[in-house]
Each structure stands twice: as structure tokens, then as C-alpha cells.
Amino acid sequence: MKKILVTGALGQIGSELVTALRETYGTDNVIATDIRSTEAEKEKGPFEVLDVTDADAMFAIAKKYNVDTMMHLAALLSATAEKAPKKAWDLNMGGLVNALEVSRELNLQFFTPSSIGAFGPDTPKDNTPQDTIQRPTTMYGVNKVAGELLCDYYFHRFGLDTRGVRFPGLISYVTPPGGGTTDYAVEIYYEAVKSKAYTSYIGKGTYMDMMYMPDAIRAIITLMEADGSKLKHHNAFNISAISAAPEDFEKAIQKHIPEFKLSYDVDPARQKIADSWPNGIDSTCAAEEWGFKAEYDIDKMTKDMLEKIAAK
Ligand code: VAH
């Protein structure tokens, strides 16, 4: 039976991943950790406060619970990282090296996400291949490319079973994202329900890969359960479900809220980041090597998002 340590467990991905892992493997087999704690979290299952830049603390928690799997999610996202690049480097890379070292010392199976942010302006923008040029122009992207290479290194050098995916922008209604470039694609649904109007900081015609959180969570668990001998790539699998621009969300929302109005007030900083990323990536390797398949297109996601937010 798996015993899993999750870092960044209170984040947009972590909060839903912990719930899904506990349903799959049992509450007591999933140790949630984050830089802060809440009483509510402690009541849901094993929880520890952990600053991922503290290697000794991370090792102690992994040892205390005798885990066999590490899912490392704690990181600063793209827009925040551009405002504080040195802090982002220290947290994103320091935390990752600690998680890899603890995993190596205790021989844990390892997961950490990369992102479409690992691509840059020179990367082919459409049907972006699994293996292609990666010269990102953001600190977040530099962190993600370095992270991909580090995870490959730990696999080849130490035989550590490292696995990961390049996530698109993730859309969810449980825990809001913080400091991302794709956050507009979450905000738009909340504002559609609340005020039937939204002003997008990303401009019309800006295509980016997106995915509904249920598809993302299923992808993590499917990849980690896959037969490792069948994986040609181990880390940084391209996965996507939707390639969309703000006007595509507007159209999908108007099928449910006809009076919904989308306007634009472009934020140059986040637009610059978005413009450096692909329009749509190719997920063939993930499909062939471990059976990745997204179930939510923009219409199915929009229906569920609006219903769930209205019910909150
Ligand atoms: C961000 N949501 O915007 C994250 C993600 C692909 C985007 O990495 O930074």
C-alpha cells in the first residue's frame, strides 16, 4: 500500500490531490504538508507544517511516517516568480533539490509537475512536441526546465523513479490558484456567476493550454501507477485538454449565462509571459506511454464549473 507525502498540500493542485489520494489509498496513508496549517486540515487527516527549503524537516517527516512516495507541489507560480525571481529560485529549486535528495536517501517514488511554462518564444507554438527547444524567458520557466533536467538526472544517476507532467493552466473551483498567468481562466467563472461580467488581463486571441482539475488529478495518479518499464520519458510529459483564448471561455459561458460580458484590460507583465508560451502542445507521448486521456473539453468543464461555483 502506498504511503504518500505531499508538499504544497493547501495549494490549487495539492488540496484536490490530497482528497483524491486519500479516497484511493486511505486517509492515514497520505501525509499533507504545507508552510502553514489550519485546524480544519488537521481534522481531515495526517498534516504537518513543512517549509520545503528545510531539508532536515522534510527528511524527518518522511521518516516519521515511513512514506514510500513523494509528491512535491510546493512552488511559486509564474507571475509571482517574475515579481520575486531570487525568492522563486530559492523556493522552487531549493525545495525541489531537497525533495529529490530525501527521495533518493529513502528510495521514494517521486512526482513533481513541470508546466507549459517550461517552453519559450523559440519553441514551436502549435502542436508543441514532447522533445523540442526549451528556452523560457521567465524565472518560473527556468525553474521548470532546470527541474525537468534534475529529475532526469536523479533517474539516470541514482535510479530514482522520478515522474512528472507539464501541466497546462489548471481550472478548478475548490482552491483558487495564486500568482499564475492562467488564473484569468478561473476568475472568469467566479465573476460570471457573481456579476455576469469579467475584465480579462490576458488579451483577445491569446491561446494557451488549459485543463480541468479532475483531468489533472487523474493524470497524476495514472502516471504514478503506470508500469515504469513502459515509460520512454519519465518526467515532463506534455499533457493538455483544451487550447483556448479568453473569447472561447466567453462563448462557452454565454451558452449558460447569455448576458455574460467579457471585456479586456491587458496586464503587460502577464501578457508577456502568456505570449512566450505555446498555443497548444502535443500530448501523444503521454497517451502512448501511460494512457493519458482528458475527459473534459471546454463545454463540459464550463457546465461543471458554473454549477459547482453557483452551489458554493
Ligand atoms: C501559472 N497556472 O500560470 C500556472 C501554470 C501553465 C501555467 O504553470 O503559472
Side-chain angles (χ1 to χ4, degrees), residues 12 77-79 115-117 140 167-170 177 179-183 209 277:
Q12 184 195 15
L77 295 184
S78 57
S115 157
I116 60 170
Y140 180 72
F167 273 134
L170 297 181
T181 299
T182 59
D183 297 359
D209 287 284
W277 292 351

Side-chain angles (χ1 to χ4, degrees), residues 16-17 33 40 58 64 85 89 92 102 108 123 132 163 172 175 177 188 201 219 236 250 271 284 310:
E16 296 198 52
L17 179 61
T33 71
M58 190 188 288
K64 173 183 172 184
W89 176 267
N92 291 352
V102 167
L108 311 181
T123 303
T132 185
R163 304 188 186 189
S172 62
T175 306
I188 194 169
Y201 58 77
E250 179 186 32
Q271 185 65 40
T284 304

Side-chain angles (χ1 to χ4, degrees), residues 211-278:
M211 180 180 284
Y212 199 27
M213 188 61 80
D215 278 334
I217 299 302
R218 192 168 0 87
I220 294 172
I221 295 174
T222 305
L223 172 57
M224 291 299 273
E225 290 285 357
D227 174 355
S229 66
K230 295 208 170 48
L231 300 180
K232 293 193 213 76
H233 300 80
H234 277 260
N235 300 289
F237 280 97
N238 281 5
I239 60 168
S240 185
I242 301 160
S243 169
E247 61 269 31
D248 297 309
F249 290 98
E250 179 186 32
K251 279 195 222 77
I253 290 168
Q254 285 171 339
K255 290 177 185 170
H256 303 270
I257 308 173
E259 65 275 34
F260 174 69
K261 272 274 155 290
L262 175 63
S263 56
Y264 297 90
D265 179 11
V266 173
D267 166 14
R270 285 181 286 186
Q271 185 65 40
K272 184 164 173 254
I273 296 172
D275 288 342
S276 73
W277 292 351

